[in-house]
């Protein structure tokens, strides 16, 4: 496995997407020892930063990009339009309980796909776990960790609700 390079890029539209949401994505990737870059990049506010990030991501053979944004959430879609690196989208929960972000992220017209996860924290965690699952088809070391995670995960679910 490549040790030095970031396999995953985690980008988010605002600093406000980090606490309680995208920090969980990063923490989950860390649990699997997956090297990743984390940056605030907005499709609307910092489009030049997005172009620069993607140029470097392609040069450094980044394998997956996780893009989180809220409100009129175009980050994942614009990212997917600018690169062939697979993009996972996380709608964040800022306004309208995240329904605005969900629809903006998930409703891509045919041709440019974004693999959209659930709104907020669940989506943030699952975006990392999906990235892990995708990488595990290529890296045996990651696959072993994923199998172990799933075994332990099942044990943590209580048999009774009380
Ligand atoms: C989006 O606008 C961001 O992804 C964030 O979820 C939302 C609000 O941003 P802030 O006004 O909190 O910076 O671009």
């Amino acid at each position: 496995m490549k040790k030095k390079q970031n396999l995953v890029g985690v980008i988010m539209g605002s600093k406000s997407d980090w606490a309680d949401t995208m920090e969980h994505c990063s923490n989950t990737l860390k649990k699997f020892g997956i090297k990743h870059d984390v940056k605030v990049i907005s499709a609307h506010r910092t489009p030049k930063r997005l172009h620069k990030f993607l140029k470097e991501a392609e040069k450094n053979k980044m394998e997956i990009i996780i893009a989180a944004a809220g409100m009129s959430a175009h980050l994942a879609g614009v990212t997917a339009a600018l690169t062939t690196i697979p993009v996972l989208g996380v709608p964040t929960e800022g306004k309208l309980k995240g329904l605005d972000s969900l629809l903006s992220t998930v409703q891509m017209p045919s041709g440019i796909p974004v693999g959209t996860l659930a709104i907020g924290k669940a989506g943030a965690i699952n975006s990392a776990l999906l990235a892990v699952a995708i990488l595990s088809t290529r890296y045996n070391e990651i696959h072993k960790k994923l199998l172990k995670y799933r075994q332990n995960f099942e044990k943590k679910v209580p048999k009774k609700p009380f």
Side-chain angles (χ1 to χ4, degrees):
M1 194 170 98
K2 290 180 284 182
K3 293 281 180 200
K4 284 181 199 152
Q5 285 157 359
N6 289 309
L7 287 176
V8 179
V10 179
I11 59 177
M12 62 210 78
S14 168
K15 191 177 186 301
S16 65
D17 296 317
W18 175 254
D20 301 325
T21 306
M22 293 315 287
E23 62 178 344
H24 296 289
C25 169
S26 178
N27 290 341
T28 305
L29 290 171
K30 276 185 200 155
K31 276 187 200 158
F32 288 88
I34 300 202
K35 231 175 147 323
H36 58 285
D37 192 13
V38 177
K39 283 200 163 70
V40 172
I41 297 177
S42 164
H44 307 125
R45 292 168 173 162
T46 67
K48 285 185 198 142
R49 212 185 281 181
L50 178 60
H51 284 255
K52 187 169 176 273
F53 173 81
L54 291 175
K55 214 173 156 189
E56 282 165 19
E58 288 182 351
K59 196 176 105 197
N60 297 325
K61 307 259 179 259
M62 191 172 264
E63 298 191 21
I64 297 168
I65 295 173
I66 297 172
M71 300 180 75
S72 181
H74 294 131
L75 183 61
V78 173
T79 301
L82 291 169
T83 184
T84 56
I85 300 171
V87 176
L88 304 181
V90 180
T92 63
E93 208 179 326
K95 311 279 179 197
L96 308 180
K97 296 189 173 173
L99 190 58
D100 46 355
S101 329
L102 173 67
L103 295 177
S104 307
T105 306
V106 79
Q107 282 289 57
M108 289 294 290
S110 69
I112 303 294
V114 167
T116 305
L117 285 301
I119 297 168
K121 181 179 171 183
I125 293 170
N126 279 348
S127 68
L129 291 172
L130 187 53
V132 166
I134 295 166
L135 292 169
S136 75
T137 63
R138 201 158 123 82
Y139 301 104
N140 196 33
E141 198 181 309
I142 297 176
H143 187 227
K144 280 188 205 152
K145 285 182 188 168
L146 181 57
L147 288 173
K148 200 171 162 202
Y149 166 85
R150 287 287 180 94
Q151 282 159 5
N152 292 334
F153 185 76
E154 190 163 337
K155 279 182 213 151
K156 279 186 208 159
V157 180
K159 290 195 174 143
K160 292 192 180 213
F162 49 84

